[in-house]
Amino acid sequence: KDYDGALELFARSLDVVRYVQHKADSTHEVRADLIVVMITCSNNAALCSSKKEDWERTEKFAANALILIEALEERGDESKIRKVLNSDGLVDSQLFGTWKVKSLLLTVKAQMERHDASKTVITLKKAIEAVSVYKKEGDIMFKYLSTQEKDIRRLRLEFSKRDKAAKV
């Protein structure tokens, strides 16, 4: 529960990885490993920031993870890095399902705490869409996505209550 210490380590790790990531001689395998580290550290830094109720940094770190995830997703099946990740056992339902939804849920929490209703609605819809695309019976991420789906419903209900109370 040393959120300050953990946050410091995650932020420092991100700085180091960004330097290595941009070396011209990095292989696709190295880049794939570094993307995993960057997504994981960004999401974990967002989680630490949320525990500290630093909503601005929560949203910033979660957005960093989302940028990487969505860029990889947009490149489609032809992405060499995505192929490396898939061959290493990171399936699309994990990359673009559970990891993306984790980033989106952290973003939703920050947006709700910052009273940004319009962005919260949009982000909740993105989370629901990610679950609906990647949650498939028999997939190894089915259980995790089911849990995240419950978290989305809980946050939607909480948001609805807050939104109604704010309008009264």
Side-chain angles (χ1 to χ4, degrees):
K1 297 199 177 197
D2 177 12
Y3 300 120
D4 290 319
L7 188 56
E8 169 80 19
L9 289 173
F10 290 129
R12 206 168 341 137
S13 297
L14 285 166
D15 289 339
V16 170
V17 169
R18 280 189 193 103
Y19 171 74
V20 176
Q21 179 79 12
H22 291 94
K23 286 179 69 176
D25 61 345
S26 295
T27 64
H28 294 302
E29 289 77 11
V30 168
R31 290 174 191 256
D33 289 343
L34 294 173
I35 283 175
V36 169
V37 171
M38 289 175 72
I39 292 169
T40 303
C41 286
S42 293
N43 273 337
N44 288 339
L47 183 60
C48 288
S49 296
S50 75
K51 297 291 186 183
K52 294 172 40 105
E53 297 184 3
D54 182 345
W55 304 115
E56 187 175 330
R57 289 183 84 191
T58 298
E59 195 167 358
K60 181 186 125 200
F61 283 118
N64 289 342
L66 281 169
I67 288 167
L68 293 166
I69 293 166
E70 289 172 350
L72 194 58
E73 191 174 24
E74 286 171 12
R75 288 193 179 107
D77 293 336
E78 297 308 310
S79 166
K80 291 176 183 169
I81 292 173
R82 183 174 174 180
K83 286 178 182 176
V84 169
L85 293 171
N86 288 162
S87 71
D88 286 348
L90 288 168
V91 294
D92 288 350
S93 58
Q94 182 175 7
L95 293 167
F96 313 123
T98 59
W99 287 5
K100 184 176 184 176
V101 172
K102 180 178 182 177
S103 303
L104 291 165
L105 289 174
L106 287 162
T107 302
V108 164
K109 283 179 81 172
Q111 290 168 340
M112 284 174 52
E113 293 299 330
R114 296 172 79 194
H115 308 288
D116 195 337
S118 59
K119 283 185 180 178
T120 302
V121 169
I122 292 166
T123 308
L124 279 166
K125 285 180 183 177
K126 286 181 181 181
I128 292 164
E129 182 182 317
V131 168
S132 69
V133 169
Y134 291 102
K135 181 183 164 200
K136 302 208 179 349
E137 195 77 45
D139 187 275
I140 61 172
M141 291 292 121
F142 182 84
K143 180 180 172 182
Y144 297 105
L145 286 164
S146 295
T147 300
Q148 288 178 318
E149 189 173 38
K150 289 177 188 170
D151 291 339
I152 294 167
R153 282 196 297 266
R154 182 184 50 76
L155 283 171
R156 282 175 64 183
L157 183 61
E158 183 181 337
F159 171 71
S160 274
K161 288 178 182 176
R162 286 185 185 195
D163 196 43
K164 284 179 187 172
K167 290 178 180 175
V168 172

